[in-house]
Amino acid sequence: PQGIQGPTGATGPKGLNFRGSYSAGTAYAVDDVVRDQNSSWVAIAAGTGNPPPTLPTASNAFWSLLAQRGADGSSTASTVSFTPTGN
């Protein structure tokens, strides 16, 4: 016997397209993501030669900030030691 197939469900969102570092000569489409200024930006409009804004500005007509770089630390890291106990 053949299997029974129901109707096709709704199509989900297409997701983001990671494109690497921003390049002025690259044509970007909506939902492309680039690295610039050590942060991540998502394209909200298609275009070429329109860079992400300079931080702290978080958006312009072509880009919106996706993830901003954290502040550079100036303190030392702590070391945590873990010794498992036997059973």
Side-chain angles (χ1 to χ4, degrees), residues 64-84:
S64 183
L65 183 63
L66 182 63
Q68 184 173 352
R69 171 189 174 173
D72 290 336
S74 60
S75 61
T76 59
S78 299
T79 302
V80 177
S81 173
F82 172 73
T83 305

Side-chain angles (χ1 to χ4, degrees), residues 1-86:
Q2 292 214 354
I4 299 173
Q5 182 174 344
T8 301
T11 301
K14 71 176 184 127
L16 301 174
N17 182 29
F18 294 93
R19 303 287 304 270
S21 295
Y22 172 78
S23 173
T26 300
Y28 294 104
V30 172
D31 293 332
D32 281 350
V33 174
V34 298
R35 286 184 308 269
D36 190 62
Q37 305 169 69
N38 294 316
S39 297
S40 299
W41 301 85
V42 61
I44 56 175
T48 303
N50 302 295
T54 300
L55 292 169
T57 302
S59 66
N60 63 17
F62 294 91
W63 299 97
S64 183
L65 183 63
L66 182 63
Q68 184 173 352
R69 171 189 174 173
D72 290 336
S74 60
S75 61
T76 59
S78 299
T79 302
V80 177
S81 173
F82 172 73
T83 305
T85 58

